[in-house]
């Protein structure tokens, strides 16, 4: 599958030497801006004996201090702003799991950049004017809804700002309005697929053909499930509020990594333990520098997302670099009896087996001081109604698969369809009751 060329995609194909020149010039500008206007950044530069004049090449970026999420909390609400409030036209906030949210700001120019990268994201997925986009990302302080909204509108598509929730109405709209593109979390779309079946709506018979899914990590196995159930093309959309919102990176029809819009976001991969830069192809933590942000420049922001930069050029011809799909975040690592476990490993192992449904949950408890991990997964009605042997066989198969992947024995519980609670936004995959 190839998408026709969209003029907004032109910056995706800029020859690499030009791109590097542009990045260096923009890096120097943004460092200068942050140094002049953001106290925390200037202080950290001073501690290292650095001034903006020390940035002579792109490689010099590695001398700059990192920014981390707690910096946003510590300077709550506006301490990292580089623009006066008179120039800030929008605020978003992301809810922290603990305490205060983090606040992000946009100037008019920042919003234009955000819109442009979302246009390029839609274009990479073959979306164009004439498409009808059901935007089921949450509207509000969360960046997902408005980010996708303005991008789709700017490219001339018809936008349905339905936001998340109310699944029956989502399905009615999808069917009655001739929706061709859906934007949501992958887990919410799975929920819609399931609800549609209950309402006797066959999604495969609708004009829906493309999904842009993001805001939570999802695996290749999950993509295969979605595409098989619906006959749509499912693309991975990446972004985070601290950097801009959705539209930092997107898959192209090759689905061989996500193209980073690196004329606006400069990527590095570092060793999360030592902070040292890692070469292309090696997995580590993604660090992003905003090259265009005015209101809130982020210099070397540690995303906590684990990925790698893919060497070589994509078959689609884009020159902007790719990163591999993000299967895990360094902060969603679970430590079970001293072993590191990532929910994405569990997801992949579960969904590679026949008979499972893409709805699962990990429950952690502690008994006699020892961590216990239970994986609940729904299975198809066929498996469930079949003679007891089928259930036992699948259970054993999943137990073995998980032990192989995780290195520890966990308890697998097969449950009936619709047992596990569905989410209207980001799925809650892990319930940790160990501190209770
Ligand atoms: Zn590509």
């Amino acid at each position: 599958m190839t998408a026709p060329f969209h003029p907004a995609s032109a910056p995706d194909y800029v020859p690499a030497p030009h791109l590097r020149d542009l990045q260096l010039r923009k890096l120097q500008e943004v460092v200068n801006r942050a140094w002049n206007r953001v106290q925390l950044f200037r202080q950290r530069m001073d501690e290292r004996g650095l001034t903006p004049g020390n940035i002579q090449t792109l490689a010099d970026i590695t001398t700059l201090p990192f920014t981390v999420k707690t910096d946003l909390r510590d300077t709550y609400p506006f301490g990292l702003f580089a623009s006066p409030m008179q120039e800030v036209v929008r605020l978003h906030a992301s809810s922290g799991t603990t305490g205060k949210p983090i606040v992000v700001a946009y100037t008019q120019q920042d919003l234009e950049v955000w819109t442009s990268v979302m246009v390029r994201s839609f274009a990479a997925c073959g979306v164009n004017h004439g498409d009808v986009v059901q935007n089921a990302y949450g509207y509000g302080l969360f960046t997902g809804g408005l980010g996708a909204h303005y991008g789709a509108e700017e490219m001339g598509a018809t936008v349905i700002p339905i936001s998340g929730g109310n699944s029956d109405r989502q399905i009615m709209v999808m069917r009655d309005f001739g929706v061709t593109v859906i934007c949501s979390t992958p887990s919410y779309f799975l929920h819609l697929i399931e609800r549609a079946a209950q309402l006797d709506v066959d999604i495969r018979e609708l004009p829906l053909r493309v999904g842009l899914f993001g805001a939570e990590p999802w695996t290749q196995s999950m993509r295969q499930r979605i595409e098989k159930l619906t006959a749509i093309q499912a693309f991975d959309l990446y972004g985070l509020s601290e950097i801009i919102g959705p539209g930092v990176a997107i898959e192209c029809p090759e689905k061989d990594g996500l193209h980073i819009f690196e004329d606006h976001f400069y990527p590095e991969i570092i060793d999360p333990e030592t902070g040292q830069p890692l070469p292309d192809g090696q997995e580590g933590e993604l660090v992003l520098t905003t090259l265009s942000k005015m209101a809130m420049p982020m210099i070397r922001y540690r995303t906590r997302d684990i990925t790698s930069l893919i060497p070589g050029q994509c078959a689609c011809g884009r020159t902007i670099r790719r990163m591999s799909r993000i299967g895990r975040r360094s902060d969603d690592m679970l430590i079970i009896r001293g072993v590191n476990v990532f929910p994405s490993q569990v997801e992949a192992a579960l969904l590679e087996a026949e008979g499972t449904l893409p709805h699962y949950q990990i429950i952690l408890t502690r008994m006699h001081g020892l961590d216990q991990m239970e994986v609940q997964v729904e299975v198809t009605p066929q498996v469930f109604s079949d003679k007891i042997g089928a259930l036992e066989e699948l259970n054993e198969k999943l137990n073995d698969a998980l032990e192989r992947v995780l290195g520890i024995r966990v308890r697998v519980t097969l449950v009936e369809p619709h047992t596990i609670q569905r989410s209207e936004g980001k799925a809650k995959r892990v319930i940790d009751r160990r501190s209770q």
Side-chain angles (χ1 to χ4, degrees):
M1 177 199 162
T2 52
F5 178 77
H6 189 286
S9 298
D12 299 2
Y13 298 87
V14 167
H18 290 276
L19 183 57
R20 301 294 162 243
D21 286 348
L22 176 75
Q23 285 174 323
L24 176 59
R25 187 174 54 72
K26 291 178 79 165
L27 176 66
Q28 289 167 331
E29 277 172 17
V30 79
V31 167
N32 210 35
R33 183 175 181 84
W35 188 75
N36 275 307
R37 293 168 177 243
V38 182
Q39 197 195 348
L40 180 77
F41 183 68
R42 184 173 193 139
Q43 186 190 321
R44 287 185 180 163
M45 291 274 285
D46 286 349
E47 284 163 10
R48 286 168 173 72
L50 291 172
T51 64
N54 291 104
I55 303 300
Q56 295 291 326
T57 67
L58 278 175
D60 292 336
I61 195 172
T62 60
T63 63
L64 295 172
F66 291 117
T67 308
V68 294
K69 193 160 195 162
T70 47
D71 292 333
L72 284 105
R73 292 219 180 89
D74 296 345
T75 55
Y76 173 87
F78 305 148
L80 295 184
F81 289 13
S83 296
M85 222 38 160
Q86 290 91 324
E87 289 167 22
V88 172
V89 298
R90 176 100 63 81
L91 297 176
H92 280 280
S94 89
S95 55
T97 40
T98 50
K100 302 271 194 207
I102 58 156
V103 181
V104 295
Y106 303 79
T107 63
Q108 193 63 50
Q109 187 184 318
D110 292 334
L111 290 183
E112 283 162 19
V113 167
W114 191 11
T115 297
S116 77
V117 287
M118 275 310 302
V119 170
R120 288 160 69 183
S121 299
F122 281 114
C125 304
V127 178
N128 211 331
H129 51 84
D131 271 308
V132 179
V133 179
Q134 180 164 353
N135 187 13
Y137 281 124
Y139 280 66
L141 286 178
F142 171 58
T143 48
L146 288 176
H149 179 103
Y150 284 106
E153 212 169 71
E154 172 71 18
M155 87 181 318
T158 307
V159 185
I160 306 168
I162 192 162
S163 196
N166 200 339
S167 304
D168 289 10
R169 190 179 57 178
Q170 299 269 0
I171 290 153
M172 179 192 75
V173 161
M174 190 183 290
R175 185 190 54 199
D176 295 351
F177 295 6
V179 168
T180 56
V181 178
I182 179 120
C183 302
S184 73
T185 59
S187 56
Y188 187 52
F189 185 60
L190 279 168
H191 174 46
L192 291 181
I193 296 172
E194 187 179 56
R195 186 69 192 136
Q198 289 168 344
L199 297 171
D200 271 332
V201 174
D202 186 351
I203 290 187
R204 269 173 290 210
E205 289 183 358
L206 303 181
L208 188 68
R209 60 182 183 82
V210 169
L212 278 75
F213 301 115
E216 64 185 16
W218 54 301
T219 58
Q220 186 65 18
S221 325
M222 185 68 92
R223 190 213 310 274
Q224 282 157 1
R225 291 294 179 100
I226 289 175
E227 293 189 338
K228 203 169 147 202
L229 285 164
T230 60
I232 71 166
Q233 294 289 323
F235 295 96
D236 194 355
L237 170 67
Y238 175 77
L240 62 169
S241 301
E242 298 91 312
I243 296 302
I244 204 156
V248 173
I250 186 71
E251 283 182 318
C252 69
E254 300 295 327
K255 292 182 187 157
D256 185 18
L258 287 83
H259 288 281
I260 303 166
F261 296 116
E262 51 168 340
D263 44 335
H264 298 299
F265 315 110
Y266 187 81
E268 298 170 79
I269 302 292
I270 61 160
D271 180 328
E273 302 294 326
T274 65
Q276 289 305 305
L278 294 174
D280 287 3
Q282 214 161 313
E283 198 171 70
E285 181 181 343
L286 176 67
V287 171
L288 290 168
T289 296
T290 60
L291 297 176
S292 309
K293 274 279 244 6
M294 302 298 282
M296 200 168 155
M298 280 287 129
I299 311 290
R300 302 195 86 201
Y301 183 72
R302 293 187 61 162
T303 65
R304 299 283 170 198
D305 290 320
I306 304 295
T307 180
S308 60
L309 290 174
I310 301 174
Q313 200 180 318
C314 183
C316 76
R318 282 179 174 77
T319 49
I320 53 174
R321 283 178 290 175
R322 290 166 297 158
M323 63 178 187
S324 52
R325 295 188 71 200
I326 288 158
R328 57 198 178 93
R329 295 175 52 82
S330 58
D331 53 7
D332 67 16
M333 184 174 80
L334 307 169
I335 302 178
I336 316 289
R337 302 199 287 269
V339 175
N340 300 346
V341 169
F342 289 94
S344 58
Q345 295 174 300
V346 174
E347 177 176 302
L350 294 176
L351 299 191
E352 272 154 28
E354 290 273 331
T356 56
L357 292 169
H359 303 283
Y360 67 95
Q361 204 153 49
I362 297 167
I363 297 158
L364 304 175
T365 51
R366 185 165 285 155
M367 259 173 79
H368 311 303
L370 204 61
D371 294 335
Q372 309 288 329
M373 176 169 155
E374 181 191 356
V375 177
Q376 294 186 347
V377 61
E378 293 182 9
V379 298
T380 59
Q382 293 90 307
V383 173
F384 226 93
S385 62
D386 209 343
K387 55 186 188 319
I388 196 88
L391 270 176
E392 273 174 8
E393 199 178 304
L394 180 58
N395 198 314
E396 203 168 310
K397 197 170 154 190
L398 292 175
N399 263 310
D400 291 346
L402 284 167
E403 186 173 7
R404 231 180 2 259
V405 175
L406 306 178
I408 49 167
R409 195 89 183 152
V410 301
R411 189 151 65 92
V412 178
T413 308
L414 306 181
V415 297
E416 284 184 75
H418 316 297
T419 311
I420 291 165
Q421 201 187 343
R422 304 296 188 249
S423 93
E424 295 189 339
K426 301 184 190 198
K428 184 153 180 58
R429 302 290 191 200
V430 181
I431 297 175
D432 195 342
R433 299 197 183 115
R434 286 182 293 182
S435 56
Q436 288 171 11

